[in-house]
Amino acid sequence: DVKVTQSSRYLVKRTGEKVFLECVQDMDHENMFWYRQDPGLGLRLIYFSYDVKMKEKGDIPEGYSVSREKKERFSLILESASTNQTSMYLCAIESGPTVDTQYFGPGTRLTVL
Amino acid sequence: DAKTTQPPSMDCAEGRAANLPCNHSTISGNEYVYWYRQIHSQGPQYIIHGLKNNETNEMASLIITEDRKSSTLILPHATLRDTAVYYCIVRAAGGFKTIFGAGTRLFVKA
């Protein structure tokens, strides 16, 4: 079974803080993704990475950056957290070179006060 | 990637089959149909996918029409734990984007 782990289930931070969300996979998958999910807006892609040190912007990258120094770990960084970044953050990996099934972590519910 | 249309919500009695429809009339020849579900406060979970043929696994069956413009996800014996939002997605192999729409909220009632 594919396992995707996220560092925290719940996180509370203050405005202006730097926030790190970690995602770790236990298999040798290249593609990793960060989404945020908000009521009424569905899942929106923030960033993705298809290899170590590679990253691509998704649909809503503003206010976020990412880091992929090792294949198994993909970090989402909020350089200066703001209240509008309060959300559920979901990490996903993708398996298969031709059939691209996504497997998600449990999610991190971030509250920025 | 093609767009999908799903009903916003459906009810199903426990133990009965749940049939969730999806329209994808603009699907291209190289696009697969995927189904995921999301139980409250959890990440989405892959259920099944298909290209042309009907597919079945331990969770569900996927019926794709011959013209591929619509599909139905079937949960043969729904349980209360199947209450979730179900997403139908079409996506070409090798692309990087999986677009999740609003999905169908399935309520399984005792």
Side-chain angles (χ1 to χ4, degrees), chain B residues 2-107:
Chain B
K3 189 175 175 179
T4 62
T5 304
Q6 299 177 254
S9 66
M10 294 181 65
D11 290 345
C12 179
E14 189 178 22
R16 303 298 293 268
N19 297 292
L20 292 94
C22 180
N23 284 322
H24 31 80
S25 58
T26 60
I27 192 169
S28 300
N30 66 341
E31 287 180 318
Y32 288 79
V33 179
Y34 286 82
W35 283 84
Y36 290 80
R37 74 178 182 185
Q38 188 172 22
I39 295 169
H40 183 63
S41 295
Q42 297 182 22
Q45 176 191 22
Y46 164 78
I47 301 173
I48 200 168
H49 73 276
L51 184 62
K52 295 180 185 176
N53 300 320
N54 299 336
E55 302 288 344
T56 295
N57 63 20
E58 64 278 4
M59 290 181 70
S61 294
L62 173 61
I63 309 297
I64 303 174
T65 58
E66 195 168 337
D67 63 7
R68 303 210 321 125
K69 293 185 176 182
S70 65
S71 61
T72 301
L73 178 75
I74 301 171
L75 308 178
H77 306 286
T79 70
L80 299 179
R81 287 176 294 180
D82 292 322
T83 291
V85 177
Y86 287 77
Y87 299 98
C88 169
I89 293 157
V90 292
R91 183 184 156 175
F96 286 115
K97 273 200 170 183
T98 297
I99 300 172
F100 288 81
T104 295
R105 189 171 293 275
L106 176 69
F107 296 94

Side-chain angles (χ1 to χ4, degrees), chain A residues 10-60:
Chain A
Y10 299 94
L11 207 53
V12 179
K13 295 292 181 181
R14 297 208 173 272
T15 301
E17 279 193 79
K18 190 169 186 175
V19 181
F20 292 87
L21 302 181
E22 297 275 303
C23 176
V24 179
Q25 55 154 320
D26 66 343
M27 301 288 283
D28 201 32
H29 300 290
E30 281 87 22
N31 300 344
M32 297 185 76
F33 302 78
W34 275 107
Y35 294 87
R36 64 177 281 177
Q37 186 172 29
D38 302 286
L41 296 176
L43 276 85
R44 294 180 291 168
L45 181 63
I46 305 171
Y47 267 98
F48 63 96
S49 169
Y50 50 89
D51 205 347
V52 175
K53 296 193 185 296
M54 306 300 286
K55 61 184 179 184
E56 291 287 339
K57 292 180 180 179
D59 298 317
I60 51 161

Side-chain angles (χ1 to χ4, degrees), chain A residues 75-93:
Chain A
S75 302
L76 180 70
I77 303 158
L78 287 67
E79 295 288 344
S80 177
S82 63
T83 55
N84 63 12
Q85 292 178 309
T86 291
S87 186
M88 169 72 95
Y89 289 88
L90 291 156
C91 175
I93 63 96

